Amino acid sequence: MKEIRDVAGAIFIKDGKIFAAKRGNSKFPYVAHKYEFVGGKREDGETCEDALIRECREEMNVDIAVVRPFMTLRHDYPDFSIYLHTFLAEMLGEPERKEHESFSWIDISGLKEEEWAPADASVIRKIRFNYGDLTEKKVSGEDIFNGRVVNVKRDVVLLPNGKTSYRELIRHKGAAGVLVVDERENVYLCKQYRYPIGRTTLEIPAGKRDSLEENYEDTAIRELREELGVIDAELSPLGKMLPAVGYSDETIALYLAERPTFGQQELDEDEFLNVVVLPFKEALKMCMDGVIEDSKTLVALLKYKAIKNI
């Protein structure tokens, strides 16, 4: 029966590159002059983390900090078998080449499994999957529908593995939503009928930009005036959100409007809504109870809670 060894290996990743140590000559030709993760065999009484720290000192004269386990696998070489326990780690200093032929920092996108020791090559596959470039590149595209609110596209994209696939997507001008809170900690929501879901929702006042060039804050100010009749308020940003990244590039910029001054609503001809005024804590409870479901409203209310530590 082959000997089964517990071996620990350190994975160092920095700026999209991975640290690779190349072996020199070896009595086992299948690992000679191959890249590997620095590490070695666990001794009796050691944990894998202890072994890793010791081996890095012995092989590179450098201290490391073990961050967390990455993966464990079994690999059967012709002469022995190992359980390879790999860990993400940080190098606390500059390594010295004591036992290896060379050190390299290799772009994760350029990793080649055949250049690594066979056991380590299996780990490389997972590193590429977890940390590699995930960009999908457009090869071609077609317009399916161009409307007043959205444009629908279908693109052919090149995947990270070199294959192609289709992506159906919606292009959107972007929108702004505003959480209005008065001096009494009341919030102002809009009750609207939403045709796609066939029922009414409670939402913060919001609306789409008139063009891709319109400033999000200008959109927010306009929507406040139209939907609530707010003519003045202390406006501050709450950040942006992406409500439907699986099929749309829509971005919603969120704002907080405090100490509002009200005038007359200026609703569009095809816009119908009721203004609902609620204590903030009641609106928050409606979020947690599932009464309020609109994503931008949920995000705005929960961000306000976090900011004010309510």
Side-chain angles (χ1 to χ4, degrees):
M1 177 179 285
K2 296 179 184 177
E3 178 188 2
I4 302 179
R5 309 171 180 175
D6 276 316
V7 175
I11 302 171
F12 303 106
I13 297 176
K14 182 174 65 176
D15 300 327
K17 296 182 178 182
I18 189 168
F19 184 79
K22 180 178 280 191
R23 282 176 173 263
N25 293 323
S26 174
K27 64 179 181 179
F28 304 118
Y30 38 82
V31 296
H33 307 290
K34 297 283 189 178
Y35 288 121
E36 67 175 3
F37 301 112
V38 178
K41 182 179 177 182
R42 179 180 64 83
E43 303 292 346
D44 291 341
E46 282 187 322
T47 65
C48 287
E49 291 92 332
D50 292 338
L52 203 56
I53 292 169
R54 174 181 53 76
E55 290 284 350
C56 285
R57 286 174 180 160
E58 292 175 0
E59 295 184 11
M60 301 191 299
N61 194 30
V62 70
D63 288 326
I64 69 166
V66 178
V67 178
R68 64 175 175 84
F70 184 70
M71 70 177 291
T72 293
L73 60 87
R74 174 173 171 160
H75 187 85
D76 297 313
Y77 283 109
D79 302 282
F80 59 91
S81 298
I82 65 171
Y83 285 109
L84 176 59
H85 309 273
T86 53
F87 296 81
L88 294 174
E90 295 179 4
M91 209 178 297
L92 308 177
E94 290 298 319
E96 297 179 18
R97 186 163 55 84
K98 300 177 68 177
E99 299 184 11
H100 290 89
E101 186 177 279
S102 65
F103 292 151
S104 302
W105 285 95
I106 303 174
D107 283 326
I108 291 175
S109 60
L111 291 171
K112 298 177 181 178
E113 293 174 30
E114 64 271 16
E115 295 180 348
W116 289 73
D120 301 65
S122 299
V123 182
I124 288 297
R125 284 195 287 275
K126 184 176 179 183
I127 290 173
R128 271 209 312 261
F129 183 79
N130 285 15
Y131 295 94
D133 184 9
L134 302 178
T135 304
E136 298 177 354
K137 300 175 182 178
K138 180 178 177 180
V139 176
S140 62
E142 60 178 321
D143 293 334
I144 304 301
F145 169 77
N146 290 322
R148 185 172 64 90
V149 177
V150 299
N151 297 327
V152 181
K153 313 284 185 180
R154 181 165 54 222
D155 290 349
V156 178
V157 298
L158 181 66
L159 303 174
N161 64 1
K163 298 181 180 180
T164 59
S165 186
Y166 290 94
R167 295 289 179 260
E168 294 175 352
L169 64 148
I170 294 172
R171 297 293 187 193
H172 192 281
K173 294 176 183 177
V178 190
L179 176 63
V180 179
V181 184
D182 66 18
E183 292 87 343
R184 296 183 178 182
E185 288 288 318
N186 292 319
V187 298
Y188 292 71
L189 304 178
C190 300
K191 185 177 183 180
Q192 292 178 273
Y193 182 84
R194 292 303 193 182
Y195 185 80
I197 61 173
R199 53 189 169 86
T200 59
T201 61
L202 278 177
E203 306 175 27
I204 58 174
K208 68 180 185 301
R209 294 192 293 173
D210 283 344
S211 69
L212 293 174
E213 290 73 34
E214 183 176 42
N215 184 281
Y216 283 101
E217 185 171 323
D218 292 338
T219 306
I221 292 170
R222 183 183 68 247
E223 293 299 326
L224 280 177
R225 184 180 65 252
E226 291 178 0
E227 296 192 358
L228 295 186
V230 173
I231 57 177
D232 188 37
E234 295 179 7
L235 204 64
S236 55
L238 286 176
K240 293 179 179 179
M241 61 171 288
L242 304 171
V245 293
Y247 58 84
S248 176
D249 65 352
E250 181 182 4
T251 298
I252 301 177
L254 299 174
Y255 294 88
L256 171 64
E258 298 179 287
R259 297 177 179 81
T261 300
F262 292 90
Q264 184 67 36
Q265 283 178 298
E266 300 177 12
L267 296 174
D268 294 332
E269 289 184 358
D270 59 351
E271 189 173 24
F272 302 90
L273 60 85
N274 296 331
V275 177
V276 178
V277 183
L278 297 170
F280 170 76
K281 290 187 177 180
E282 183 177 339
L284 184 63
K285 184 176 185 301
M286 294 169 76
C287 286
M288 305 310 295
D289 291 345
V291 177
I292 293 176
E293 299 175 290
D294 175 66
S295 61
K296 64 183 177 294
T297 305
L298 291 169
V299 172
L301 287 167
L302 293 173
K303 280 198 169 192
Y304 182 77
K305 178 184 184 298
I307 290 170
K308 299 297 184 179
N309 195 27
I310 298 174

